[in-house]
Each structure stands twice: as structure tokens, then as C-alpha cells.
Amino acid sequence: MTTPSPVPLPPASGAWREGDPPGRRRWHVRGRPLALEAGGELPDVRLAFETWGRLASDRRNAVLVLHALTGDSHAAGPAGPGHPTAGWWDALIGPGRALDTDRYFVVAPNVLGGCQGSTGPASAGPSGRAWGGDFPFLTPRDQVAAEVGLADALGIDRWALVVGGSMGGMRALEWAVTHPERTDALLLATAAAASAEQIAWSGLQTHAIRSDPAWRGGHYHHTGSGPDAGLGRARRIAQVTYRSEPELQARFGRSPQGTEDPWGGGRYQVESYLDHHAAKLVRRFDAGSYVVLSEAMNAHDVGRGRGGVRAALRRVRARTLVAAVDSDRLYPPSQQAELAAGITGADASRVIGSPYGHDGFLIETDQVAALVRELLPAPARREPQSSAFPTPSPLSQEHS
């Protein structure tokens, strides 16, 4: 007789599914297919999003917040039904905070290809079953095209600020280059194009997922078990690149985990730390989305088809601050210096001092808040229009 496991097994996917609690999500449904940069189209597109504050009568107080690889639309607020974790930028969004929701209308979409309510591999495809491995290849430009539809549906012609780091920064940059007339200010921490090293790290992660026998070519969503081991390995690899060597050394050193003996099959503390992050991600994310979004990040090149990076960056009209985390070994400060030098009117890149590496853009909220306030000087208080984006039905249709 098999003894039941004391720990419940993870689901085949940690994606949000129809019937799950919606939490604070709303949905924008695109009324027509989305043409994709790599060819073909995505026939049915919807984006989950959350908002805070109210849209002013002149519609000029809207801020777009774009999340990184494993983020979602829940940028602010507590964990709860429909939201397995608290808001990932909660310290920046709210009354009196840098993104003051008494003054600004803050919008955070879940990226196209994601797994927390937006169309992605876990969503129903044309067959009625999950897209799985048949989900098409995306680029950041495709993701921004979907976000343009959301902005149109909300009646937002211009963003007062577009902000994002890492993958979110890629989309923020594409917004400013593709739609300069709709982007007043820009705060980002990213690269102009994915580097060989970033692609290499990403490739290790997607290989780990695809090497899991439970991957099944991406068609695992209805099997009862998914590539949890592969997704966990991918997260372990990523977590090392997200932090800095000095921080890992200071936190963990060579210490064993509790009473475990590394010489007898036990773990070091740093290994336990990586195991913890792997287990958390497996229960709230989808392996197919991880692959699709990783490949979209690898495809990032703002200069593609635009005469190169320098020519593309000259399109940016937004007041721009480029932030670099001094200890970031995944997106080193030299990449942000290139962006700052190439964007007309941008100051030299601003350095965020942090021991936390790539994650510093999410963790060092006081320093990031100062940059936000520099780009968004406090406007005079103004009365929002009473009809500004009323509470909608679950699905909001895009304006034609």
C-alpha cells in the first residue's frame, strides 16, 4: 500500500484558470486577431489587468507598470483569493506613494503569453483545449501591440509614465520607440537588445524545462502532472543570476542547512534557498509561459528592422531616466549606459546602489521611488471625471 505524501503534489500548471477566483483582475478582450512579428496571428487575445486610482477628465494621469518574467498584474495589494502573492511593487503604488493613486491612474497588465489571466500556453486554443506547445512565438513588439489595444479600450491616448525593469523594461522601451507620441516619460532598467550571455542563461533554463519527461512537447496541461522538476531547475538557475555573489556569500557562506550534512547527502543553506524559490514558482506559474516569455526576451532587439539600435533609440521622445543596479550581473550597468547615451535628452544612467543584483530594481523601492518622483512631479490635485472607467463586466471589449 502506498503511503500518501505529506506534501500535496503541485498541479500540472500554476496558471490562473477559468473558474479560479478573479481577485482584482479585469479583462480586456481584443476584438480581432493579433498579427505577429514572426508571422501568422493569434486569433483570440485577452489581457488580464489591474488598476489603481481614477482616470482624470483630461486622461493625462495614466501610468503603465510592466512586470518582469514571472510577475503578473498584481503589482499592489495583499495576497488573497486569486492572488497567491502580495503585490510585487506594493511599496510604490498607493495613496501618498511614488505612484500616488490619489493623483495617478496606474495600470498593470499581465503580459501576453503569461499565465495569470492573459492569453498564453495554458489558455484555451482553437481546439478548445490548452494551446500548450502549439502556442505561437512572441516578441516584445507583439506584447506591446496587445497592450496598445488595452490602452485604447481604457481611452488612454498618452501615458504620463511607462515604467518597467528586465522584461518589463524591454516592453517599456518598445512602447517609447514604437509609439513615441503616446509615451511622455520613461523609467526603465533593461538592455537595448538581449546579449549573448542573457540568451545563454535563458537557454539553460528553457532546456531544463524541455528536458523534463513531463514536458510532453508542451502538451501537459490536461495530463494531471507537469514539468515541475524542469521548471524548478529553471528557477534555481535564474535565481542565481538575479542575485549578486557578495550577497549570497554574506547570507549563506558555506553553512549547512540546519542539521543537514552536505558530506552525507544534505544541503548547504544556499541550496535550500534555491529549493525554496523553485517550490514557490512551481505552484504559481506555468512552464509553458516560462518558455514562451523567455524566448520573447531572447528576441528583444529594439534596433531590429529600424536601422540598428542607435537609430531606434533616436525615436524616443519621452523624458527618460535609465536605472542601473550596480551589482546586477545579468543586466550589467554597461547596458543601461548604452541606452542612456543613445536616447536624446536622457541623463547619464542613474545607479541604484544595492547588494541584491538584478532584483535590486524590485527591492530598492526608496531609490526607485525617488526616480519616479523626478519624472512625475506632483501635479495640482484635480477632480477625476465621475465616469472614468466604471467597474466593468468581467470582459471589456476593445474599441474598434
Side-chain angles (χ1 to χ4, degrees):
M1 180 175 179
T2 303
T3 302
S5 171
V7 179
L9 294 175
S13 170
W16 185 91
R17 301 292 190 95
E18 296 291 344
D20 289 346
R24 294 191 75 260
R25 292 176 185 82
R26 303 174 186 180
W27 278 271
H28 157 64
V29 178
R30 184 180 175 89
R32 60 188 186 278
L34 177 69
L36 301 177
E37 188 182 4
E41 62 183 23
L42 197 53
D44 298 306
V45 174
R46 74 172 186 169
L47 293 184
F49 68 99
E50 297 179 43
T51 67
W52 300 263
R54 293 180 68 84
L55 189 61
S57 57
D58 64 4
R59 299 178 182 268
R60 292 300 177 91
N61 70 331
V63 174
L64 180 62
V65 175
L66 300 175
H67 66 76
L69 173 60
T70 60
D72 54 32
S73 64
H74 196 53
H83 301 298
T85 58
W88 50 269
W89 238 8
D90 191 69
L92 264 74
I93 301 170
R97 296 175 183 173
L99 294 175
D100 187 347
T101 51
D102 288 337
R103 303 177 186 273
Y104 293 102
F105 180 59
V106 179
V107 181
N110 181 215
V111 69
L112 179 66
C115 64
Q116 287 299 317
S118 291
T119 299
S123 305
S127 70
R129 296 173 70 85
W131 276 97
D134 293 332
F135 194 80
F137 186 91
L138 297 179
T139 71
R141 294 183 197 178
D142 300 326
Q143 295 164 333
V144 167
E147 291 162 4
V148 167
L150 170 61
D152 291 345
L154 294 175
I156 297 168
D157 296 325
R158 302 178 68 94
W159 297 105
L161 173 67
V162 180
V163 56
S166 193
M167 184 185 76
M170 294 174 177
R171 287 148 57 211
L173 184 59
E174 280 290 343
W175 261 100
V177 171
T178 308
H179 303 283
E181 75 287 352
R182 301 186 70 164
T183 311
D184 287 344
L186 180 66
L187 173 60
L188 71 167
T190 194
S195 70
E197 185 174 29
Q198 288 158 355
I199 293 170
W201 282 119
S202 179
L204 290 173
Q205 295 165 51
T206 57
H207 181 75
I209 293 171
R210 288 181 165 128
S211 296
D212 188 324
W215 170 247
R216 299 180 178 91
H219 297 289
Y220 57 85
H221 293 89
H222 299 284
T223 66
S225 63
D228 305 322
L231 180 58
R233 292 187 192 103
R235 182 60 168 185
R236 289 175 179 88
I237 295 168
Q239 194 66 27
V240 174
T241 71
Y242 294 160
R243 297 299 179 122
S244 72
E245 186 277 331
E247 188 229 354
L248 294 177
Q249 180 63 26
R251 286 181 66 181
F252 306 114
R254 294 183 49 77
S255 299
Q257 175 63 21
T259 59
E260 295 183 30
D261 179 8
W263 287 25
R267 298 171 298 171
Y268 290 98
Q269 281 186 5
V270 70
E271 293 176 301
S272 175
Y273 164 78
L274 298 179
D275 289 346
H276 169 73
H277 279 279
K280 283 178 59 179
L281 187 75
V282 162
R283 294 183 179 280
R284 69 170 182 84
F285 213 74
D286 178 63
S289 279
Y290 200 102
V291 169
V292 165
L293 297 182
S294 295
E295 292 185 335
M297 293 174 71
N298 289 349
H300 171 60
D301 179 356
V302 75
R304 182 176 54 251
R306 293 167 171 159
V309 167
R310 290 185 179 182
L313 294 181
R314 286 196 294 269
R315 297 187 183 194
V316 177
R317 302 177 197 166
R319 303 186 316 279
T320 302
L321 289 179
V322 181
V325 179
D326 59 1
S327 58
D328 190 344
R329 56 182 171 181
L330 184 58
Y331 285 63
S334 59
Q335 293 183 329
Q336 284 80 58
E338 178 189 19
L339 282 178
I343 296 175
T344 303
D347 292 342
S349 58
R350 304 299 178 85
V351 176
I352 295 172
S354 175
Y356 299 115
H358 189 63
D359 279 347
F361 194 69
L362 297 177
I363 296 172
E364 303 292 353
T365 51
D366 287 345
Q367 295 181 64
V368 175
L371 299 179
V372 170
R373 290 190 172 101
E374 190 173 340
L375 285 168
L376 288 180
R381 285 189 178 274
R382 46 189 174 179
E383 192 69 25
Q385 65 178 33
S386 59
S387 61
F389 204 65
T391 301
S393 60
L395 301 183
S396 299
Q397 189 72 26
E398 175 187 331
H399 299 322
S400 299

